[in-house]
Amino acid sequence: MKVKYYTGNSLAEAITKAKQEHGSDIILLDSREIKNTLDGSKIVQVSISVDEDNGKVKAWNPPAVKKNQKALKPSEVETKEDFNSVISNILSRKPKTLEQEKKILEELAELKEQINKLQQSAVNDPLPLPPVYEQILSALQEKGFNKKMAESLIKRVYQLTPKGPKASKGEIIFALKKELREKMRFFDISALKAADRQKVIMMVGPTGAGKTTMTMKLAAHPQIFAQREVAIISTDPYGPSEALKAFSRMSGVTVIEKKRHDELGALMRQLKDYDVVIVDVAGNSPFAPQFVKKMEEYVKIVKPHEIFVVASLNMDLEDLLEAASLYMLLKPTGVILTKIDESRRIGKFFTLMEELELPVVAFGDGKRIFIDIALPEEGYIFEKVFEGLA
Ligand SMILES: Nc1nc2c(ncn2[C@@H]2O[C@H](COP(=O)(O)OP(=O)(O)O)[C@@H](O)[C@H]2O)c(=O)[nH]1
Ligand SMILES: [Mg+2]
C-alpha cells in the first residue's frame, strides 16, 4: 500500500479530489492545514492509503506476519512512505519512549528518596529551638505526649510554619492543631444510629474500664441511641449492677441478664426486634488463660456488627497498649476512651490513635450517665491539649 496526498481549499474539496482518482472507499489517514507558499493562503492536505497494484483503495487489514520477514532498519523506515512502514516506524520508536519513561520514573524515585532522607534528618537532627517552641514542647510532654511524638511534632511545625523561628505562640499552636488533626480518626456513629436493620454492638475491655457505664451512656445519648429501641445484655457473672438496673427503670431501656453461656444465642433471637442490642461483655483480665478463645466464642454467637474496645485513659500508657493490643485480636471496629476526667495526660490519646489505628467512638468524661460523655470532636480534644497554654 501507498500513502498519497491531496490538497484543496477545504477538507471536503481535498477528499473529493482523492475520491475522483481512487473511488469512494478511500481510507483517510490524516488531514492537516498547510500554508500555500505561493500566496500565503491556507489549504488543507489529506493523506490517504492507496492500493499499489491498481491505484484503487481497499479496506485496510492488519499486515500479515510473514515468516523470516526482515525487520526494517530505522533509516529505511524514515524514507519509505509505505503504510506498513509507518506502523513499523511507530513500533520502532515505542521502546525508545518507554526507555525515556523508565528513566524519568527512576529519577523521580531517586528524588523521592532524597526528600525522605532530608525529612528524616530534619526530624532526627537536634535543632536549637527558639524559647517559645521549647516552652510548647515541654507543655506537650506534660500533657502526656511521649517525647518522640512531641519532638517530631514541634520540629515539623518549626520547619513548616512560614514564620519559622519568629512564629508567635498562637501561630505555633495553629500549626500544631493542623498536625494533630491528621492523627485523629473518628467513628461515624450517625450511620449506626440511623440504620434500618438491627445493629449489634459488643463492648469489650479490661475490668473496670467503664464498659457498663459507657453502654448506658450510648443508650441514653440523644445523638446516639436515645431515639432507638435499645436492649442491653449484661453478661456479668454477678448479674446486672445496681447502676444498670436503676438506669433501666429510669430510661425504659431493656436490660437482660445472661445467666448461662449457652442461653446467649436464644437471648439474641428473643431480642431480634430491637433496633440496637448492646452486649456488655463482663470484664476479664486479658492476660487470663483462654482469654481470646472465650472472647471469640462471644463473637461467634453474638455476631456483632461493631466491636468497641473500652479503655480508660487514667491507666499507664504501657498497660493501656498492652491490654488493648490483646483485644485487637478480635478485630474491633472502634475504641472508646473513658475516665478522661481522671487523667491530665490527654497526649496518650494520640499515641493510642497511632498504635491502634482505630477510630474513636466516644469519650467518657465522668461518672454521670446522662451528662459525662463527649462525642469525638477535635474541639473537645484541642481544649484538653491546649488548656492553659494559649
Ligand atoms: N471518673 C470516671 N469514672 C468512670 C468513667 N466511666 C466509668 N467510671 C467509673 O468506673 C467504675 C467502673 O465502671 P464500669 O462501667 O462498671 O466498668 P466495667 O467493669 O468496664 O463495666 C465505676 O465506678 C464507674 O462509675 C468515667 O468516664 N470517668
Ligand atoms: Mg461492667
Side-chain angles (χ1 to χ4, degrees), residues 71-111:
L72 290 162
K73 284 185 204 149
S75 58
E76 285 171 329
V77 173
E78 301 294 330
T79 48
K80 267 196 180 179
E81 287 209 311
D82 176 283
F83 188 61
N84 288 347
S85 70
V86 173
I87 304 252
S88 319
N89 193 6
I90 293 168
L91 289 177
S92 71
R93 274 191 204 142
K94 207 165 177 190
K96 266 195 224 157
T97 333
L98 282 181
E99 270 309 307
Q100 262 173 352
E101 275 177 16
K102 219 176 122 197
K103 216 173 150 209
I104 291 171
L105 284 176
E106 274 168 7
E107 278 169 11
L108 269 178
E110 207 174 294
L111 199 68

Side-chain angles (χ1 to χ4, degrees), residues 319-386:
D319 283 346
L320 246 175
L321 281 174
E322 203 171 8
S325 60
L326 273 160
Y327 287 99
M328 294 308 281
L329 295 169
L330 301 174
K331 300 197 178 66
T333 50
V335 62
I336 291 174
L337 294 164
T338 63
K339 308 195 186 179
I340 303 279
D341 56 309
E342 289 188 7
S343 172
R344 307 203 61 73
R345 318 195 125 245
I346 188 81
K348 281 188 257 182
F349 164 71
F350 289 96
T351 312
L352 277 173
M353 287 278 96
E354 247 181 25
E355 296 292 328
L356 303 183
E357 293 185 348
L358 279 178
V360 60
V361 180
F363 295 101
D365 202 350
K367 286 170 179 276
R368 295 168 304 176
I369 305 300
F370 293 93
I371 299 169
D372 297 331
I373 173 170
L375 295 178
E377 261 172 15
E378 62 169 49
Y380 172 78
I381 311 276
F382 286 157
E383 206 176 293
K384 306 245 171 218
V385 174
F386 297 107

Side-chain angles (χ1 to χ4, degrees), residues 254-290:
T254 304
V255 171
I256 294 197
E257 180 187 359
K258 181 225 71 163
K259 292 201 185 76
R260 297 191 324 269
H261 199 67
D262 60 359
E263 66 184 12
L264 191 57
L267 265 185
M268 291 304 298
R269 287 190 287 281
Q270 196 181 314
L271 298 174
K272 68 176 182 357
D273 291 332
Y274 282 83
D275 299 326
V276 181
V277 176
I278 309 180
V279 186
D280 174 17
V281 178
N284 229 318
S285 162
F287 308 113
Q290 304 259 295

